[in-house]
Amino acid sequence: MAFSADELRVLRRALAHALQTTSHSAPLSAFGAEWSQDIQEYLRLAEAVDEAAREGGRLRAFLLADLARYREALPGSAAGYLARLKEALDTGYVPGPDDLAALRALRTRRAGPAERERRSALLRHCEQLADISVRVRLRALPGGRSGARGGREPEPGREPKPERKPEP
């Protein structure tokens, strides 16, 4: 069974909440041995979830380091780099400027029509992901679209009115 990072966070919070409410509601002896066993199982499950999250982080770090090694060995490692990049994208990786530059350079190298189209399609996909990532970060900045105006965009054709400063 596989969980995403968000699902692991939700599960961890649910376990923490269950453990918190049981420990504060009454003494454990009032609930009996079965309840104590349930709490021990909650704790083991919480430890397993934490370990799975740590292992996922280690795997992600390994994949990204492997991707960087293949990128540095381009153009000789083009097939391996493209495979690792696709694998990283499937895990939620957002391509950076190095990846975009590498893909652009690979697209200009000699290749068959099918391979050239595959590289171009991957480049377009990476550019879209990078563009979306940049837009999301810009909206999160103070003064971004979600900032001062409450997330509303100005109406087309109308310029926002500048705020007037009180005259002395």
Side-chain angles (χ1 to χ4, degrees):
M1 187 173 359
F3 292 106
S4 71
D6 290 333
E7 290 169 332
L8 285 175
R9 275 188 228 107
V10 169
L11 182 58
R12 190 179 299 130
R13 279 195 306 252
L15 286 169
H17 179 70
L19 287 170
Q20 226 173 18
T21 57
T22 56
S23 63
H24 293 302
S25 59
L28 292 179
S29 59
F31 292 109
E34 288 179 17
W35 190 252
S36 179
Q37 288 175 347
D38 287 345
I39 290 175
Q40 292 302 316
E41 288 177 16
Y42 286 162
L43 289 171
R44 281 193 294 275
L45 182 57
E47 290 171 4
V49 166
D50 288 341
E51 177 58 30
R54 285 190 297 273
E55 184 62 29
R58 287 190 293 269
L59 178 61
R60 181 173 173 79
F62 173 78
L63 288 174
L64 295 181
D66 203 26
L67 178 66
R69 280 191 295 276
Y70 274 83
R71 186 176 48 239
E72 290 169 7
L74 285 173
S77 64
Y81 172 70
L82 295 172
R84 268 127 193 112
L85 179 60
K86 191 142 181 60
E87 185 180 349
L89 293 173
D90 291 341
T91 64
Y93 173 69
V94 177
D98 293 341
D99 295 307
L100 297 175
L103 285 170
R104 288 182 185 117
L106 282 176
R107 191 180 59 173
T108 63
R109 306 231 5 127
R110 289 183 55 171
E115 180 63 17
R116 186 173 297 134
E117 178 54 37
R118 182 174 83 111
R119 292 174 183 183
S120 295
L122 188 57
L123 174 60
R124 283 191 303 272
H125 180 65
C126 287
E127 286 173 337
Q128 289 172 346
L129 290 175
D131 184 49
I132 290 169
S133 174
V134 167
R135 290 176 188 267
V136 166
R137 282 185 272 152
L138 286 175
R139 285 189 184 125
L141 290 174
R145 285 190 174 171
S146 64
R149 293 186 302 251
R152 294 184 313 197
E153 296 182 21
E155 295 176 22
R158 291 188 64 192
E159 293 292 320
K161 295 179 182 177
E163 295 181 21
R164 291 187 179 188
K165 295 182 180 177
E167 294 182 21

